[in-house]
């Protein structure tokens, strides 16, 4: 039995009831087989055992008082997964389904994503099983303050730097920053994704979506195609979908769908111009996203309760959440002649669906590579805060574009090194892993 298979078995036995974590561990480690074959010293130094065990896992109570005066209790998490390359870095997710498996899957992915950026950041992730939907602004503030009243002791600018993720945007980061500053008496850039008035980075909101489209452009160009004139099916309606739709339009392509909890919208004219900004309004309005869009733009068709994967397009960019593309969806895409899938959300495609797509000639750009622009710009925000300087939006987007081009190049170089053809998933995993593994080898057994 190979080192990878043996460790995957042990991991499954040790982490029962963590399907999302085991899913990403299987996907990453399986693609690293050639690296372990070529580097027997990694097994000797127990790299898999060490990289799959978080350096620290923090779980805590978050008590808060709702608007009716009732005491509520949520569960908070921070997984400090790997600090070989720098302080733990990764977002906080507030959603009712957040549990240890979800936070560990996100934290594990973050190690490799952050490594791919080429910047000095380790991997971490956190959040709470708190549902921000339907909460008043004051409830959100009280929750964020209580969350930070525990989290502050575990984080710091050189220790662990949280940011946003699903359910956590500039508003929530602002409330957490305010509380951190009160307790620590330190204005030190410990959180990223802050509003610009609070030391946040110009362009950070756009960064994830813009980065995804830069990556997609590199991917298409590599296969002799261009983004120009392409119809793109995207899912989601949040920050990532918004930035993606915006950059697609700037580069001559157009998003023709969005999706929300109530279904999806097909807008053949394109989710372009003022409609992109309307997404921002929808985002802050709650659960029904598609119904109001269809009402405002009557040429758009609303498909209640459905996902957009049966719509014919040149490129698919899932931007919602994990595991939104299953094999049945992949079959529809292939039947429609799909050639390219670029993952915007973290792990949006199941391992079985990825296998089906790749076996049917679809090029899959993995989220670890494609959506790394968000965290890359978070690291630029850390640099801005540490230097007590302000970067302009132009400077930020130039750095972002270079980072995304380089991520694609590194992934292709890894494919070449290990004879993996155009398998961008394996290429990204290997390029990210090699950087972390090198650093871990230098740091001794720790
Ligand atoms: N949550 C984002 C991600 O999945 C951003 C993390 C960050 O900026 O630290 O990469």
């Amino acid at each position: 039995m190979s080192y990878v298979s043996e460790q995957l078995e042990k991991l499954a036995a040790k982490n029962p009831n963590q399907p999302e974590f085991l899913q990403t561990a299987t996907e990453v480690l399986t693609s690293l087989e050639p690296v372990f074959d070529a580097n027997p010293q990694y097994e000797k130094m127990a790299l898999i055992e060490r990289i799959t065990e978080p350096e620290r896992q923090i779980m805590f109570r978050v008590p808060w008082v709702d608007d009716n005066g009732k005491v509520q209790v949520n569960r908070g998490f921070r997984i400090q997964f790997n600090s070989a390359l720098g302080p733990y870095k990764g977002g906080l997710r507030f959603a009712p389904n957040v549990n240890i498996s979800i936070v560990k899957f996100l934290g594990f992915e973050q190690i490799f994503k952050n490594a791919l950026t080429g910047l000095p950041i380790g991997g971490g992730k956190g959040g709470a099983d708190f549902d921000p939907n339907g909460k008043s602004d004051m409830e959100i503030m009280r929750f964020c303050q209580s969350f930070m009243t525990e989290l502050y002791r575990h984080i710091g600018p050189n220790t662990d730097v949280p940011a946003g993720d699903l359910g956590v945007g500039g508003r929530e980061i602002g409330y957490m920053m305010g509380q951190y500053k009160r307790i620590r008496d330190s204005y030190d850039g410990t959180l990223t994704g802050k509003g610009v008035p609070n030391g946040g980075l110009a362009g950070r909101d756009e960064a994830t979506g813009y980065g995804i489209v830069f990556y997609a452009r590199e991917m298409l160009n590599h296969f002799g195609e261009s983004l120009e004139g392409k119809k793109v099916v995207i899912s989601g309606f949040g920050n990532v979908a918004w930035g993606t739709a915006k950059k697609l339009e700037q580069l001559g392509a157009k998003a023709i769908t969005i999706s929300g909890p109530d279904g999806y919208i097909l807008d053949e004219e394109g989710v372009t111009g003022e409609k992109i900004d309307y997404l921002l309004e929808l985002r802050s309005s709650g659960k029904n996203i598609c119904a109001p869009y269809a009402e405002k733009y009557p040429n758009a068709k609303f498909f209640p309760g459905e996902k957009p994967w049966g719509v014919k397009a040149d490129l698919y960019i899932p931007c919602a959440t994990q595991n939104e593309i299953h094999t049945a969806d992949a079959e529809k895409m292939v039947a429609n002649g799909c050639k390219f899938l670029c993952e915007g959300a973290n792990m949006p495609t199941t391992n079985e669906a990825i296998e089906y797509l790749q076996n049917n000639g679809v090029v899959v750009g993995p989220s670890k590579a494609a959506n790394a622009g968000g965290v890359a710009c978070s690291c630029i925000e850390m640099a801005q805060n540490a230097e007590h300087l302000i970067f302009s939006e132009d400077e930020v987007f130039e750095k972002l574009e270079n980072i995304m081009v380089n991520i694609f190049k590194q992934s292709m170089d890894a494919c070449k090194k290990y004879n993996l053809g155009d398998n961008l998933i394996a290429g990204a995993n290997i390029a990210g892993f090699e950087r972390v593994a090198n650093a871990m080898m230098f740091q001794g057994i720790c």
Side-chain angles (χ1 to χ4, degrees):
M1 201 190 259
S2 74
Y3 175 40
V4 166
S5 311
E6 192 188 306
Q7 290 308 319
L8 279 173
E9 259 185 25
K10 286 192 178 157
L11 205 63
K14 212 171 172 183
N15 300 282
N17 308 319
Q18 296 188 6
E20 291 85 2
F21 172 57
L22 294 173
Q23 179 181 339
T24 178
T26 305
E27 188 250 356
V28 172
L29 295 178
T30 308
S31 69
L32 296 178
E33 291 264 17
V35 183
F36 292 111
D37 288 345
N39 296 280
Q41 71 277 20
Y42 288 167
E43 180 172 356
K44 205 164 154 237
M45 296 299 274
L47 273 201
I48 298 185
E49 293 89 322
R50 287 195 282 143
I51 211 166
T52 53
E53 187 67 26
E55 288 174 17
R56 194 172 297 108
Q57 308 187 50
I58 303 150
M59 265 170 83
F60 51 99
R61 181 171 70 205
V62 189
W64 56 283
V65 182
D66 71 18
D67 285 347
N68 299 320
K70 192 169 177 318
V71 179
Q72 303 282 348
V73 178
N74 285 94
R75 181 174 285 176
F77 300 88
R78 187 72 184 166
I79 303 291
Q80 299 180 330
F81 225 122
N82 191 294
S83 62
L85 293 176
Y88 311 105
K89 182 83 199 84
L92 297 168
R93 177 176 290 194
F94 291 170
N97 69 352
V98 165
N99 58 33
I100 191 78
S101 174
I102 302 255
V103 183
K104 274 180 73 180
F105 121 64
L106 290 164
F108 190 68
E109 296 252 308
Q110 204 81 42
I111 303 171
F112 306 99
K113 181 195 309 201
N114 294 4
L116 279 168
T117 65
L119 297 167
I121 38 179
K125 202 84 183 194
D129 61 352
F130 170 76
D131 187 358
N133 269 313
K135 301 290 188 299
S136 73
D137 192 42
M138 286 297 109
E139 287 177 324
I140 299 275
M141 185 184 77
R142 288 195 291 273
F143 179 81
C144 289
Q145 290 181 335
S146 180
F147 186 86
M148 187 49 78
T149 302
E150 172 57 33
L151 189 67
Y152 86 92
R153 72 192 77 238
H154 306 290
I155 61 178
N158 296 311
T159 310
D160 183 355
V161 183
D165 196 81
L166 296 182
V168 178
R171 174 180 63 163
E172 291 73 18
I173 292 291
Y175 292 150
M176 286 191 266
M177 177 200 171
Q179 186 73 349
Y180 175 88
K181 195 160 55 69
R182 275 169 88 192
I183 303 175
R184 272 273 161 95
D185 194 15
S186 176
Y187 201 122
D188 58 20
T190 288
L191 291 147
T192 65
K194 300 179 291 291
V196 169
N198 295 329
L201 189 75
R204 175 63 186 85
D205 285 347
E206 287 90 340
T208 309
Y210 279 22
I212 290 165
V213 181
F214 287 138
Y215 180 91
R217 181 193 65 194
E218 295 305 298
M219 179 165 106
L220 264 67
N221 289 352
H222 176 82
F223 290 94
E225 301 215 25
S226 119
L227 264 183
E228 191 79 36
K230 293 282 187 290
K231 281 188 183 183
V232 188
V233 159
I234 69 175
S235 62
F237 62 95
N239 187 44
V240 179
W242 168 74
T244 299
K246 219 167 140 174
K247 186 48 89 184
L248 281 171
E249 185 179 23
Q250 286 171 17
L251 298 187
K254 70 178 176 193
I256 55 168
T257 56
I258 53 159
S259 73
D262 54 340
Y264 82 90
I265 283 288
L266 172 61
D267 186 344
E268 289 283 4
E269 289 168 4
V271 182
T272 49
E274 59 153 62
K275 295 177 197 166
I276 298 177
D277 293 326
Y278 180 56
L279 286 182
L280 295 178
E281 237 176 85
L282 288 174
R283 196 169 78 192
S284 49
S285 71
K287 273 193 174 256
N288 287 333
I289 303 304
C290 299
Y293 186 105
E295 215 166 280
K296 191 168 161 80
Y297 302 107
N299 287 343
K301 285 193 212 125
F302 173 29
F303 295 85
E306 287 185 47
K307 287 180 181 177
W309 312 124
V311 175
K312 194 175 166 60
D314 303 302
L315 166 67
Y316 294 79
I317 310 186
C319 297
T321 187
Q322 70 271 1
N323 290 332
E324 50 166 332
I325 299 177
H326 295 262
T327 308
D329 305 306
E331 283 168 358
K332 287 185 207 159
M333 291 178 176
V334 169
N336 270 329
C338 165
K339 286 203 282 190
F340 299 102
L341 172 82
C342 182
E343 296 184 330
N346 290 314
M347 200 172 74
T349 323
T350 65
N351 289 350
E352 297 71 29
I354 289 178
E355 203 182 323
Y356 181 84
L357 290 166
Q358 288 188 324
N359 287 342
N360 283 279
V362 179
V363 178
V364 182
S367 52
K368 282 180 218 80
N371 78 18
V375 73
C377 284
S378 272
C379 190
I380 300 172
E381 185 171 328
M382 288 162 71
Q384 167 174 288
N385 295 156
E387 289 179 55
H388 304 280
L389 289 172
I390 301 289
F391 295 127
S392 73
E393 201 173 76
D394 287 348
E395 283 174 292
V396 171
F397 291 150
E398 196 190 318
K399 287 185 208 293
L400 170 66
E401 188 167 356
N402 286 336
I403 289 169
M404 298 315 297
V405 169
N406 195 40
I407 288 176
F408 185 82
K409 191 179 164 299
Q410 283 178 68
S411 308
M412 289 312 301
D413 288 349
C415 287
K416 227 176 271 161
K417 182 170 166 191
Y418 289 98
N419 283 323
L420 295 166
D422 292 320
N423 186 343
L424 292 174
I425 298 182
N429 287 339
I430 292 173
F433 174 78
E434 287 197 327
R435 193 164 169 243
V436 183
N438 266 333
M440 287 177 74
M441 294 299 278
F442 275 111
Q443 290 173 23
I445 312 289
C446 61

